[in-house]
Amino acid sequence: MGECLTPENILFLAAAASARLAHGATAEDLGLLAAFFTVIGDNLALLALCAPSCEDKGRSASDK
Protein backbone atom coordinates (compact mmCIF):
# COMPACT_ATOMS: atom_id res chain seq x y z
CA MET A 1 0.00 0.00 0.00
CA GLY A 2 2.48 2.56 -1.22
CA GLU A 3 0.06 5.48 -1.28
CA CYS A 4 -0.77 7.69 1.65
CA LEU A 5 -4.43 7.67 2.60
CA THR A 6 -5.67 11.24 2.57
CA PRO A 7 -8.67 12.23 4.68
CA GLU A 8 -10.72 12.47 1.49
CA ASN A 9 -9.73 8.95 0.44
CA ILE A 10 -10.57 7.59 3.88
CA LEU A 11 -14.02 9.20 3.69
CA PHE A 12 -14.57 7.76 0.23
CA LEU A 13 -13.45 4.32 1.39
CA ALA A 14 -15.75 4.48 4.42
CA ALA A 15 -18.72 5.56 2.28
CA ALA A 16 -18.07 2.78 -0.24
CA ALA A 17 -17.73 0.17 2.52
CA SER A 18 -20.94 1.40 4.16
CA ALA A 19 -22.86 1.18 0.91
CA ARG A 20 -21.52 -2.32 0.22
CA LEU A 21 -22.33 -3.56 3.73
CA ALA A 22 -25.83 -2.07 3.53
CA HIS A 23 -26.65 -3.71 0.20
CA GLY A 24 -29.47 -6.19 0.85
CA ALA A 25 -29.40 -5.72 4.62
CA THR A 26 -32.52 -5.23 6.71
CA ALA A 27 -33.00 -2.24 8.99
CA GLU A 28 -32.27 -4.53 11.94
CA ASP A 29 -29.04 -5.71 10.32
CA LEU A 30 -28.00 -2.12 9.66
CA GLY A 31 -28.68 -1.14 13.26
CA LEU A 32 -26.59 -4.02 14.52
CA LEU A 33 -23.73 -3.20 12.14
CA ALA A 34 -23.86 0.46 13.14
CA ALA A 35 -23.69 -0.40 16.85
CA PHE A 36 -20.90 -2.91 16.26
CA PHE A 37 -18.71 -0.47 14.36
CA THR A 38 -19.44 2.29 16.88
CA VAL A 39 -18.08 0.06 19.64
CA ILE A 40 -14.99 -0.74 17.56
CA GLY A 41 -14.43 2.96 16.86
CA ASP A 42 -14.85 3.92 20.50
CA ASN A 43 -12.43 1.23 21.62
CA LEU A 44 -9.85 2.26 19.03
CA ALA A 45 -10.14 5.89 20.14
CA LEU A 46 -9.64 4.87 23.76
CA LEU A 47 -6.61 2.75 22.88
CA ALA A 48 -5.14 5.62 20.87
CA LEU A 49 -5.49 7.92 23.87
CA CYS A 50 -4.09 5.44 26.37
CA ALA A 51 -1.19 4.06 24.31
CA PRO A 52 1.14 7.06 24.69
CA SER A 53 0.73 7.17 28.47
CA CYS A 54 1.33 3.42 28.75
CA GLU A 55 4.46 3.70 26.59
CA ASP A 56 5.74 6.55 28.80
CA LYS A 57 5.21 4.44 31.93
CA GLY A 58 7.11 1.56 30.36
CA ARG A 59 10.04 3.84 29.53
CA SER A 60 10.19 5.38 33.00
CA ALA A 61 10.07 1.95 34.65
CA SER A 62 12.99 0.72 32.54
CA ASP A 63 14.97 3.87 33.32
CA LYS A 64 15.07 3.01 37.02
Side-chain angles (χ1 to χ4, degrees), residues 48-59:
L49 289 174
C50 293
S53 63
C54 291
E55 290 171 0
D56 290 342
K57 287 181 183 176
R59 283 192 204 123

Side-chain angles (χ1 to χ4, degrees), residues 4-16:
C4 180
L5 284 175
T6 64
E8 294 83 7
N9 287 341
I10 292 172
L11 287 174
F12 177 75
L13 180 62

Side-chain angles (χ1 to χ4, degrees), residues 13-26 29-34 36-37:
L13 180 62
S18 298
R20 182 67 182 120
L21 286 170
H23 185 72
T26 65
D29 292 339
L30 292 176
L32 182 60
L33 282 170
F36 178 77
F37 285 112

